[in-house]
Amino acid sequence: MTKSSNVTTLATFDRVESRVRSYSRSFPKMFDRALGARIYDSEGQSYIDFLAGCSSLNYGHNDPDLKAALIDYVTHDGIAHGLDMFTQAKELFLSSFERLILKPRGLDHRVQFTGPTGANAVEASLKLARKVTGRDNVISFTNGFHGVTLGALAATGNGKHRGGAATPLSGVTRAAFDGYYGPDINTADLLDSQLSDPSSGIDAPAAIIVETVQGEGGLNAASPEWLRQIQDIAHRHGALFIIDDIQAGCGRTGGFFSFDGMGLKPDIVTMAKSLSGMGLPLAVTLIKPQYDVWKPAEHNGTFRGNNHAFITAAAALEKFWADGGFADEVAEKAGYLARRLEAIADEYGLRVKGRGMMLGIETGSGEQASAICRRCFDNGLIIETSGSFDEVVKVLAPLTIAKADLAAGLDIMEAAFGSVLGARRAAAE
Ligand code: PLP
């Protein structure tokens, strides 16, 4: 950034940018540069980033090794855009992905490069399941979030986003997520009975699509048993089992896939966000070979596969996933994060939700959660809410965050809970 751009004012955004913008309303500063878990505004003020591009920056901002690989590639005039032609960058990514991710897990899924957003990967997965089965209906879950293009939005629960469609959202039946009716009701059993009853009114599904942890829907974490039951139900009823790993994957909940070690083998997996490792747009669907029935160009797009992202994604796989060291580091940080959040939650009689480094505190109301997030921002921490009523304060720190930054961010959070909830408690007494 040049000095002159630093003096540009926020008025330009008000004047020119669409009103649809959202995060900039919570964090109304001009951001300039970022490194690791720190992001700096144009006045040089540093913020700890507990939002991390909504889990697109699991390896932090501008990881030096990923950046070096990209600079080297650009310097040598590597292909920037190649439609879906064979390029060395794409071969590098695919061979690393096969060697480091698929093979060690006994997976032989094909990699489909969709348009570069998560929503496009979801669109592709739903289209493919419908094409494979010849059925239209898709089962998705309460509080699920799968993107805002019309097909993905139909599978999304969030009322605010659905309201933007202005057209009927069809082809999807909602089922209750794990725990939706409390711990004593097994919602997978309910779904199974409905699908087993030809007069339940639910058409035979093409697919069941699920997040293992609902990132936007309030950090509801499904149990491995429930997920295995859902996979089994999908298969018994002739549907494809799709895991949307766009937010929970790439180490966010522990393993590379959020379902690692759960005994699951989804027919389709969607990935985006942190896949490129550096915040560059890259999305894929992973497809069991027998379901890779696409005809050439049936799901097309100009930006399918981003060569710069292939370079950083391959570097991220080599750096973080060549052995189990990074997953161990994430597990250790997740343990520390859980202990700190439990302590805050205990103080105010609240509940910690989520899994791994995808944890948050349910505060009881959207108004309280946003007051806490505002207070955090005033004190140098970027953090957002999640849930039906935006009632969960959600920590999505980069997985690579230094322990000192993680502790400092949690200190800011603890103080914000104290000043918002402590003050209300004192006023009520
Ligand atoms: N699926 C999940 C689970 C997500 O969390 C998101 C985005 O938050 C999407 C799909 C949509 O991804 P994108 O915003 O890149 O379209």
Side-chain angles (χ1 to χ4, degrees):
M1 273 286 154
T2 60
K3 194 73 194 154
S4 65
S5 60
N6 279 347
V7 299
T8 312
T9 73
L10 301 182
T12 310
F13 303 105
D14 276 341
R15 206 175 56 249
V16 185
E17 194 182 6
S18 161
R19 300 181 60 175
V20 78
R21 67 186 184 278
S22 60
Y23 292 103
S24 54
R25 298 177 191 275
S26 306
F27 312 112
K29 290 279 179 180
M30 180 87 82
F31 292 103
D32 177 30
R33 48 183 287 273
L35 189 61
R38 295 252 171 192
I39 175 162
Y40 301 86
D41 70 20
S42 52
E43 283 152 11
Q45 161 86 35
S46 155
Y47 301 81
I48 298 170
D49 189 358
F50 273 14
L51 179 56
C54 220
S55 206
S56 299
L57 294 161
N58 284 3
Y59 314 118
H61 294 268
N62 291 312
D63 176 275
D65 297 312
L66 276 53
K67 186 169 74 175
L70 181 59
I71 289 172
D72 185 54
Y73 184 76
V74 173
T75 305
H76 288 90
D77 292 327
I79 301 282
H81 186 277
L83 295 168
D84 70 355
M85 288 189 278
F86 300 143
T87 63
Q88 288 202 326
K90 191 198 281 194
E91 198 280 335
L92 184 71
F93 170 71
L94 283 173
S95 56
S96 304
F97 196 77
E98 180 184 41
R99 175 169 46 84
L100 297 173
I101 304 300
L102 295 178
K103 282 217 166 124
R105 291 167 177 77
L107 301 176
D108 59 357
H109 290 55
R110 298 260 174 83
V111 181
Q112 175 189 2
F113 297 107
T114 65
T117 63
N120 200 273
V122 170
E123 293 290 344
S125 74
L126 300 184
K127 278 168 69 174
L128 185 62
R130 288 175 171 132
K131 183 176 160 70
V132 164
T133 60
R135 299 172 176 179
D136 175 46
N137 190 29
V138 164
I139 306 285
S140 74
F141 292 94
T142 48
N143 302 118
F145 184 88
H146 301 287
V148 299
T149 51
L150 290 178
L153 189 57
T156 289
N158 185 293
K160 193 169 59 183
H161 292 111
R162 291 175 69 86
T167 189
L169 296 166
S170 58
V172 174
T173 303
R174 205 84 33 200
F177 193 70
D178 192 14
Y180 190 73
Y181 295 119
D184 298 333
I185 295 183
N186 182 344
T187 57
D189 286 344
L190 296 182
L191 176 62
D192 199 8
S193 350
Q194 286 180 299
L195 292 179
S196 304
D197 176 355
S199 297
S200 70
I202 299 186
D203 294 334
I208 302 183
I209 183 167
V210 67
E211 295 159 88
T212 61
V213 181
Q214 296 186 313
E216 299 304 298
L219 299 179
N220 310 306
S223 72
E225 301 75 45
W226 185 85
L227 288 164
R228 281 193 291 273
Q229 201 182 342
I230 295 293
Q231 174 175 268
D232 176 60
I233 291 167
H235 290 160
R236 273 191 292 105
H237 293 281
L240 269 57
F241 177 59
I242 304 175
I243 289 192
D244 180 346
D245 231 16
I246 286 167
Q247 187 161 158
C250 295
R252 178 53 61 189
T253 59
F256 183 81
F257 294 117
S258 69
F259 53 88
D260 276 353
M262 292 187 183
L264 295 165
K265 210 166 186 184
D267 301 304
I268 304 181
V269 182
T270 56
M271 305 202 79
K273 289 201 188 274
S274 277
L275 185 61
S276 77
M278 234 181 116
L280 297 173
L282 179 65
V284 298
T285 57
L286 308 176
I287 307 165
K288 273 188 186 165
Q290 65 268 36
Y291 300 128
D292 185 23
V293 297
W294 290 117
K295 294 202 177 69
E298 243 181 346
H299 187 82
N300 213 341
T302 308
F303 291 102
R304 284 170 304 125
N306 170 334
N307 282 271
H308 290 168
F310 290 148
I311 293 296
T312 56
L317 294 178
E318 300 292 346
K319 178 167 179 176
F320 297 107
W321 299 103
D323 59 37
F326 179 63
D328 291 345
E329 190 189 315
V330 174
E332 203 215 310
K333 280 182 205 164
Y336 172 74
L337 173 63
R339 286 192 295 280
R340 291 286 311 263
L341 294 187
E342 290 290 356
I344 300 173
D346 282 353
E347 177 69 27
Y348 303 101
L350 305 174
R351 185 160 70 106
V352 174
K353 297 178 79 183
R355 179 182 296 138
M357 287 286 279
M358 194 172 180
L359 294 184
I361 298 180
E362 185 173 318
T363 65
S365 88
E367 189 243 323
Q368 292 193 142
S370 53
I372 290 165
C373 291
R374 264 198 313 277
R375 183 60 66 109
C376 286
F377 187 56
D378 289 343
N379 291 303
L381 176 69
I382 293 180
I383 187 164
E384 258 292 5
T385 58
S386 161
S388 298
F389 304 96
D390 297 325
E391 73 284 9
V392 178
V393 175
K394 166 164 105 164
V395 180
L396 286 178
L399 309 180
T400 51
I401 189 170
K403 195 79 186 286
D405 274 348
L406 183 57
L410 288 164
D411 290 346
I412 295 173
M413 252 182 99
E414 191 175 339
F417 271 79
S419 61
V420 174
L421 300 187
R424 285 179 195 198
R425 186 167 60 186
E429 277 165 8

